[in-house]
Amino acid sequence: MPENNQSIIHPCPFSKGYGIPEAQAWLLLKVYFVYRLVLACLFISMYYGRVTPSLLGSLNDQLFHYCSEVYLLLTLASGFLLRFRLASYSFQAQFLLFSDILLLTLIMHASGGIKSGIGILLAVSVASGGVTIGGRCAMFFAAIASLLVLADEIYADLTDSFATTSYTYAGMLGAAFLTIALLSYVLAKRSESLLKLAEQHQQTIANLEELNHYIIQHLQTGIIITNRKQNVQLANTAALKMLNLPKKPAQLCDISVRLAEDFSDWLHNKDLDQSQLTLANQVEIRVRFMLLPTGGRSFYMLILEDIALYNQHVQQSKLASLGRLTASIAHEIRNPLGAISHAGQLLSENPDFSPQNLRLTQIIQSNSARVNQIIEDILQLSRRQASRREKIQLKPWLAHYLETFMLEQMIEPKAFNLQFDQGSLIAFIDPGHLKQILDNLCQNALTYGSPEQGPIILRGFMAQKSPCIEVIDNGPGIEREHLSHLFEPFFTTSNKGTGLGLFICKELAELNQAKLGYYFTESQRSSFRLYLSDADKSFN
């Protein structure tokens, strides 16, 4: 079977190693049929419509008349068989060739033999055999044509039908038939090879195109191909998911007017090769523009990157670097810290120390413990693994979390109030990381959020088309001049804090493509809000 799944026809039982695609073979046979039909009509019209003396039928008018009509009738019958393919290709091809050679030889004899010039028409039949049948079968029909021409000369010589006979001309015509058959076969083989090579190249190109399409569609990076008029030619699956579109947009302005404007600006200034979009669901997308020259036409590729996903990779790299750093210095810090703490403890046990000196040893002990806690928090960051996100039904998960948290902290159930909006909330996040974030936020709310003034609210709801968890306390809130430094490492407004808790929460949130922020509610209560990835729209 060839590469394009066309069947191969081997028309002649004597042929070996020769075959042509089915569609091409039937087309050649149709062309040969048209040639025969035109030739038969010419014989009939020239015979009946002649007004001047002609060689046609000059020797035997009745034989020419019968043979011409039989030639036309057989041609019409073969056309019927060919139209509906009532017989095999092999049978029809051989039938046309054999009847052609036989009837043209009889017509040539009726018109005066070789000198009539009709014998040259046999060369067309022989050449057709080389193209449609090929191989030994074509040579066989060429030999039949040569023998019939020679037999016609012998018969005319024995019966004195012609005034003169020409065996030399007959032999040369026979040799020409064999040569034409051989050349036709060679040309047909070369044409077949070129056709197969072209089909192989076409199939290779089709396979590469299919492979490229598969790769583009399965890239996590969004790809959009457009032309200079901003008509979108292609948008892969990742791009449609990022843009929250059900199908390929027609133009860039259908995605974003700003994107269309930035693309137009880039066409005039190649330095402006980026654009940043904020979609309706607050997802931020970075778009880079690239030129794709393709021959005489130019297309442009827009590469879409989810900034949250990019930040996730950055966070993983940062944590890996931090892990290598802290692993190398933790041991060096803890050894002298342990010695200081131990020395302070021994000094505090001295009975001769005055209360003032004992106070100094307490300061040593408390600050050693604080430094040790800072080291523990940093080591916790260094041990952080990549997020293993999964779908989480927030309502049952938060209920179970809050129950476990209150047991661990040994606090009364009335200290927290769990609230939910109507509807299902399904987030896409690492459950372990979510627990660490909420542990820190809830612990801060217990420490700084004045729980004695009322319960701390843990609320789940949809905000900006994303699942959201909010922790609302009763504290005075954070002063506005400190808000810009809230999530920075080692920033704290408390003498007891290390300043790493919120920083760790922020890092964990970005590691899971989530967003953590500080807000004031409508009633001016202090709250931390965690925006999560929607499990129905997220993908790995």
Side-chain angles (χ1 to χ4, degrees):
M1 296 291 289
E3 295 295 330
N4 62 349
N5 294 326
Q6 285 189 2
S7 59
I8 289 292
I9 287 182
H10 298 276
C12 180
F14 305 114
S15 299
K16 291 184 179 180
Y18 177 77
I20 49 180
E22 182 178 3
Q24 183 185 7
W26 285 104
L27 178 61
L28 291 174
L29 205 58
K30 289 178 182 178
V31 173
Y32 185 43
F33 160 76
V34 171
Y35 158 74
R36 278 189 50 141
L37 182 62
V38 171
L39 185 61
C41 293
L42 284 175
F43 281 149
I44 296 297
S45 60
M46 292 177 67
Y47 176 77
Y48 287 104
R50 57 189 174 186
V51 293
T52 57
S54 173
L55 291 175
L56 298 179
S58 59
L59 180 65
N60 191 332
D61 185 85
Q62 189 174 10
L63 178 62
F64 181 87
H65 171 68
Y66 287 149
C67 289
S68 298
E69 290 184 348
V70 170
Y71 190 65
L72 178 60
L73 291 175
L74 288 179
T75 301
L76 294 174
S78 66
F80 180 78
L81 295 176
L82 184 62
R83 173 65 179 82
F84 298 100
R85 298 191 183 182
L86 300 178
S88 66
Y89 175 88
S90 177
F91 172 80
Q92 293 194 49
Q94 294 176 50
F95 172 76
L96 286 174
L97 288 172
F98 183 76
S99 61
D100 213 19
I101 292 172
L102 179 62
L103 290 174
L104 286 177
T105 302
L106 292 176
I107 290 174
M108 180 186 68
H109 177 77
S111 301
I114 294 176
K115 293 182 179 180
S116 66
I118 296 178
I120 199 65
L121 294 177
L122 292 172
V124 179
S125 302
V126 171
S128 300
V131 174
T132 58
I133 297 179
R136 297 178 183 178
C137 202
M139 301 299 294
F140 172 72
F141 279 104
I144 290 178
S146 301
L147 291 175
L148 286 178
V149 170
L150 184 60
D152 180 60
E153 286 299 308
I154 295 174
Y155 175 78
D157 190 20
L158 294 176
T159 59
D160 292 329
S161 300
F162 304 149
T164 59
T165 55
S166 179
Y167 288 103
T168 303
Y169 188 28
M172 293 175 62
L173 195 59
F177 292 161
L178 294 173
T179 303
I180 290 172
L182 180 60
L183 291 176
S184 299
Y185 169 69
V186 171
L187 292 176
K189 286 290 290 183
R190 174 174 290 186
S191 175
E192 177 194 357
S193 300
L194 293 175
L195 179 62
K196 287 183 177 180
L197 183 61
E199 290 171 350
Q200 290 175 358
H201 288 170
Q202 182 179 4
Q203 187 65 33
T204 301
I205 293 173
N207 291 338
L208 290 175
E209 183 178 359
E210 184 177 355
L211 179 61
N212 289 337
H213 181 74
Y214 178 85
I215 292 173
I216 290 174
Q217 290 298 329
H218 288 78
L219 283 174
Q220 287 190 359
T221 302
I223 300 294
I224 294 178
I225 306 297
T226 184
N227 58 15
R228 194 174 186 87
K229 296 181 179 179
Q230 301 188 11
N231 298 319
V232 177
Q233 309 294 317
L234 180 145
N236 69 350
T237 305
L240 296 179
K241 285 186 177 180
M242 286 184 186
L243 300 170
N244 196 23
L245 296 175
K247 62 180 181 178
K248 184 191 75 173
Q251 289 192 318
L252 292 183
C253 60
D254 296 333
I255 301 173
S256 168
V257 175
R258 178 179 175 181
L259 177 62
E261 293 175 350
D262 289 346
F263 176 78
S264 180
D265 293 340
W266 173 72
L267 291 178
H268 298 89
N269 185 357
K270 298 303 180 183
D271 293 332
L272 306 174
D273 60 349
Q274 289 191 7
S275 176
Q276 187 162 324
L277 308 177
T278 301
L279 305 181
N281 57 359
Q282 299 302 312
V283 174
E284 294 182 339
I285 302 294
R286 179 185 290 113
V287 185
R288 291 188 290 118
F289 308 124
M290 293 181 62
L291 174 64
L292 289 178
T294 54
R297 301 183 62 188
S298 292
F299 291 95
Y300 304 92
M301 180 168 66
L302 280 63
I303 302 176
L304 283 65
E305 296 177 340
D306 189 336
I307 295 180
L309 182 60
Y310 173 78
N311 289 337
Q312 179 186 11
H313 296 320
V314 172
Q315 290 304 113
Q316 291 176 350
S317 177
K318 286 167 59 179
L319 292 178
S321 300
L322 183 59
R324 291 190 295 269
L325 174 63
T326 55
S328 63
I329 65 174
H331 180 71
E332 298 299 328
I333 294 177
R334 274 190 159 176
N335 282 342
L337 181 63
I340 294 172
S341 178
H342 184 63
Q345 185 177 1
L346 292 176
L347 288 174
S348 67
E349 296 174 357
N350 190 339
D352 299 329
F353 263 29
S354 63
Q356 186 177 6
N357 289 333
L358 289 176
R359 174 58 181 163
L360 293 176
T361 60
Q362 290 176 359
I363 293 174
I364 293 173
Q365 291 292 330
S366 63
N367 282 278
S368 296
R370 183 178 179 184
V371 173
N372 185 67
Q373 184 60 46
I374 293 174
I375 294 174
E376 287 291 340
D377 290 342
I378 295 176
L379 286 176
Q380 184 183 9
L381 277 176
S382 68
R383 300 188 193 106
R384 191 79 59 216
Q385 297 179 351
S387 62
R388 298 179 179 178
R389 298 191 293 166
E390 59 185 64
K391 290 185 178 181
I392 296 177
Q393 289 277 358
L394 287 183
K395 188 171 184 178
W397 192 92
L398 285 177
H400 179 266
Y401 163 78
L402 190 56
E403 181 181 356
T404 304
F405 178 78
M406 289 189 293
L407 287 175
E408 291 175 350
Q409 301 296 323
M410 294 183 294
I411 57 178
E412 297 180 359
K414 64 179 182 180
F416 282 86
N417 183 9
L418 184 60
Q419 298 180 1
F420 275 99
D421 287 357
Q422 296 294 328
S424 176
L425 297 177
I426 305 176
F428 194 51
I429 191 172
D430 186 320
H433 290 171
L434 179 58
K435 181 180 183 304
Q436 293 180 53
I437 294 172
L438 291 181
D439 280 346
N440 197 300
L441 296 180
C442 291
Q443 188 62 53
N444 283 350
L446 287 173
T447 304
Y448 308 108
S450 305
E452 67 278 359
Q453 297 183 14
I456 298 168
I457 297 175
L458 183 61
R459 179 186 171 207
F461 63 104
M462 288 293 293
Q464 300 175 357
K465 298 183 180 180
S466 299
C468 183
I469 299 175
E470 190 173 34
V471 180
I472 305 174
D473 60 42
N474 304 297
I478 298 174
E479 297 181 6
R480 297 192 180 275
E481 62 266 21
H482 295 155
L483 290 178
S484 59
H485 307 288
L486 184 60
F487 296 102
E488 293 180 359
F490 303 109
F491 173 79
T492 179
T493 58
S494 171
N495 295 328
K496 299 179 181 179
T498 63
L500 286 173
L502 291 178
F503 171 71
I504 293 174
C505 291
K506 186 77 169 180
E507 296 289 300
L508 290 176
E510 292 182 355
L511 195 61
N512 288 272
Q513 298 185 35
K515 181 181 177 182
L516 178 64
Y518 179 80
Y519 302 88
F520 286 99
T521 65
E522 294 180 357
S523 58
Q524 295 302 306
R525 296 179 64 180
S526 176
S527 72
F528 284 91
R529 191 174 297 172
L530 179 65
Y531 294 93
L532 305 174
S533 297
D534 192 340
D536 295 330
K537 299 178 182 178
S538 299
F539 54 92
N540 290 323

